[in-house]
């Protein structure tokens, strides 16, 4: 198939979305499809630039800057983004291309107008990969009320749902957001599991043997440190376990809360905690080989279901997880049923410390736990399975 994949994240960005889309596009090419990634590229001077990478055609389209800026400016930039991308697409050498299918990734919720244009011109189906249910999760977090801003964002989200022929959600628990009265989309809703490509053998710039964590059993958190992640809970855990000389905590990444979390660790003199800035995605497996447990944190105010990309990367590397997530999250049942770690929905340092202690004991007595993690990643979270499912939906 000739497929257009539209997104606002792609390498050289290091976000989990960028890594997922890199892996997905490469797998499309590996399975013999002609794939063109159309990505918003605020930093480039020219209106469009065409590249080829590992059999993937990448069309970088100039758009307004929408990362690391204030909420109002970001909203305006994202509102203009699809129209800017479409205008620059019209000027490119691919302007007259006909597509067999259009796939796009949300977040962001604003790409609907561009998808609609390509879908109409090519008379082809469109597949929406939705990883965050926005603006609902922002309301749950108290970042937004149900007034005018919510109604504005909800209209944008509903428009992209209306454009889609098929919507791939993360977990069965998210079906409720696409049923009346929440939504009346005519699109078919199906569960599309998250995915990651197999590990690559790439050196890591972080050497824990040269840090205060040398020789310890290391709990690692690698990824975004924002409001939605609730990483403070993991710092609470580190504070509770500061007297355990055999345990250490590693935080790697960036985000709106990263500087505050570093300062908190410094103020509380948590000498069992080490922070590093974001590293290249291909370095992550090398980092995990130096660690023992992966940390997953989600703010308890969430009501939507989310299987974070970092959970997949832990599974792929054979790292059991310690997860502290929102009540009712599908991730809890998955972790417990497959025996790949411990999950907790009580956001209390003392409770989580007890759960962490149980996990440490399990690691010492269960030599098969890493193998179960890798098996789960291979069975349910492969890029190969995701591509086959998307293609079958577009052809069906």
């Amino acid at each position: 198939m000739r497929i257009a994949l539209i997104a606002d994240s792609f390498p050289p960005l290091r976000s989990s979305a960028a890594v997922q889309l890199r892996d997905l596009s490469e797998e499309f090419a590996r399975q013999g499809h002609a794939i063109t990634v159309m990505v918003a590229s605020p930093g480039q001077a020219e209106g469009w630039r065409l590249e080829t990478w590992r059999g993937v055609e990448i069309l970088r389209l100039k758009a307004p800057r929408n990362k690391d800026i204030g909420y109002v400016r970001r909203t305006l930039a994202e509102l203009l983004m699809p129209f800017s991308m479409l205008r620059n697409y019209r000027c490119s050498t691919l302007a007259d291309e006909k597509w067999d299918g259009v796939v796009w990734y949300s977040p962001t919720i604003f790409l609907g107008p561009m998808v609609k244009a390509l879908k109409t011109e090519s008379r082809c189906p469109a597949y929406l990969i939705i990883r965050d249910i926005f603006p609902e999760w922002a309301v749950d977090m108290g970042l937004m009320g149900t007034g005018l801003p919510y109604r504005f964002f909800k209209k944008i989200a509903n428009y992209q749902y209306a454009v889609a022929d098929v919507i791939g959600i993360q977990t069965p628990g998210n079906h409720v957001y696409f049923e009346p009265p929440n939504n009346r989309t005519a699109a078919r809703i199906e569960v599309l599991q998250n995915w990651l490509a197999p590990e690559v053998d790439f050196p890591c710039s972080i050497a824990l043997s040269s840090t205060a964590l040398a020789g310890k059993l290391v709990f690692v958190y690698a990824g975004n440190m924002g409001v939605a992640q609730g990483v403070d809970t993991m710092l609470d855990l580190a504070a509770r376990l500061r007297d355990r000389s055999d345990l250490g905590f590693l935080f790697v990444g960036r985000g709106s809360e990263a500087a505050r979390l570093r300062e908190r660790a410094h103020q509380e003199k948590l000498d069992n905690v080490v922070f590093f800035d974001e590293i290249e995605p291909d370095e992550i497996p090398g980092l995990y080989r130096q660690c023992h447990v992966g940390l997953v944190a989600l703010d308890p105010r969430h009501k939507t279901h989310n299987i974070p990309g970092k959970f997949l990367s832990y599974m792929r590397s054979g790292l059991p997880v310690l997860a502290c997530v929102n009540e009712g999250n599908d991730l809890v049942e998955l972790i417990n049923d497959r025996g790949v770690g411990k999950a907790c929905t009580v956001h209390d340092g003392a409770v989580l410390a007890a759960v962490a202690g149980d996990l440490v004991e399990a690691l010492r007595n269960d030599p098969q736990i890493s193998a179960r993690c890798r098996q789960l990643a291979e069975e349910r979270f492969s890029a190969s399975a995701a591509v086959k499912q998307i293609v079958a939906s577009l052809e069906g």
Side-chain angles (χ1 to χ4, degrees):
M1 297 183 75
R2 184 77 170 102
I3 295 172
L5 174 59
I6 306 174
D8 73 338
S9 296
F10 202 78
L13 290 178
R14 298 170 174 175
S15 66
S16 59
V19 174
Q20 280 198 303
L21 290 166
R22 177 200 68 181
D23 293 346
L24 189 72
S25 60
E26 188 176 4
E27 184 60 31
F28 269 114
R30 185 180 293 114
Q31 293 188 22
H33 302 286
I35 179 75
T36 298
V37 178
M38 300 180 188
V39 60
S41 298
Q44 70 185 36
E46 62 269 50
W48 62 275
R49 185 170 73 242
L50 192 61
E51 306 169 355
T52 303
W53 170 84
R54 298 183 184 178
V56 177
E57 195 173 52
I58 305 167
L59 182 63
R60 299 189 183 274
L61 300 168
K62 188 175 181 180
R65 180 186 172 197
N66 66 343
K67 308 290 186 187
D68 300 321
I69 56 177
Y71 288 126
V72 174
R73 289 179 57 202
R74 177 173 179 172
T75 299
L76 291 173
E78 296 208 23
L79 188 61
L80 294 171
M81 176 177 61
F83 302 102
S84 178
M85 291 176 69
L86 189 57
R87 182 177 65 251
N88 290 317
Y89 168 75
R90 301 277 189 230
C91 298
S92 76
T93 53
L94 299 181
D96 296 325
E97 193 72 42
K98 296 300 180 185
W99 310 97
D100 297 318
V102 179
V103 180
W104 81 108
Y105 187 98
S106 177
T108 173
I109 63 171
F110 287 88
L111 291 171
M114 184 170 182
V115 175
K116 176 67 172 177
L118 270 62
K119 172 184 172 179
T120 301
E121 291 167 8
S122 293
R123 297 180 180 179
C124 68
Y127 192 110
L128 169 60
I129 302 170
I130 186 162
R131 305 291 88 170
D132 282 340
I133 310 296
F134 184 84
E136 280 76 9
W137 74 261
V139 174
D140 296 340
M141 294 289 298
L143 300 176
M144 183 187 303
T146 55
L148 186 59
Y150 170 81
R151 293 197 295 271
F152 166 76
F153 287 119
K154 186 63 178 174
K155 281 187 177 295
I156 299 293
N158 284 342
Y159 179 77
Q160 77 164 353
Y161 302 154
V163 170
D165 295 285
V166 185
I167 299 175
I169 57 177
Q170 281 199 74
T171 72
N174 283 334
H175 268 287
V176 66
Y177 293 98
F178 297 91
E179 298 169 351
N182 294 318
N183 206 300
R184 292 180 173 82
T185 179
R188 189 174 83 252
I189 311 299
E190 64 183 29
V191 175
L192 178 70
Q193 299 284 358
N194 264 341
W195 63 87
L196 277 179
E199 288 184 348
V200 294
D201 188 10
F202 198 85
C204 181
S205 57
I206 296 174
L208 295 188
S209 59
S210 303
T211 73
L213 302 182
K216 298 180 184 291
L217 188 152
V218 177
F219 292 76
V220 59
Y221 179 97
N224 186 49
M225 300 180 205
V227 175
Q229 280 68 45
V231 184
D232 275 288
T233 302
M234 296 307 174
L235 275 188
D236 292 342
L237 174 63
R240 288 274 180 174
L241 297 176
R242 67 195 310 165
D243 294 331
R244 288 283 302 263
S245 60
D246 59 326
L247 305 180
F249 292 81
L250 174 66
F251 295 87
V252 180
R254 61 191 291 273
S256 61
E257 302 299 296
R260 183 187 61 79
L261 291 165
R262 284 178 185 250
E263 180 59 23
R264 181 190 159 190
H266 174 73
Q267 292 291 335
E268 297 183 19
K269 298 180 180 179
L270 298 179
D271 54 9
N272 60 340
V273 173
V274 172
F275 279 86
F276 279 95
D277 290 334
E278 183 181 53
I279 60 176
E280 290 290 343
D282 286 342
E283 296 183 53
I284 291 293
L287 175 71
Y288 289 168
R289 282 194 287 270
Q290 305 173 66
C291 303
H292 305 87
V293 176
L295 296 173
V296 174
L298 288 174
D299 191 284
R301 291 171 291 181
H302 278 294
K303 291 185 176 65
T304 60
H305 298 261
N306 192 321
I307 297 182
K310 65 177 64 65
F311 172 75
L312 276 65
S313 66
Y314 297 150
M315 292 296 99
R316 182 181 64 180
S317 293
L319 277 188
V321 298
L322 176 64
C324 190
V325 298
N326 50 305
E327 187 75 37
N329 194 308
D330 290 342
L331 189 59
V332 175
E333 183 178 355
L334 177 63
I335 291 170
N336 293 334
D337 285 354
R338 297 300 294 259
V340 292
K342 300 288 184 181
C344 177
T345 59
V346 179
H347 290 246
D348 177 83
V351 173
L352 193 56
V355 175
D358 290 343
L359 180 55
V360 170
E361 191 65 22
L363 292 180
R364 291 170 175 156
N365 296 313
D366 185 358
Q368 298 303 314
I369 192 167
S370 289
R372 290 198 298 274
C373 294
R374 292 190 176 92
Q375 183 180 11
L376 176 60
E378 184 176 344
E379 286 178 6
R380 293 188 55 174
F381 302 116
S382 72
S384 174
V387 165
K388 290 175 182 176
Q389 183 176 337
I390 292 169
V391 169
S393 294
L394 290 173
E395 290 178 336

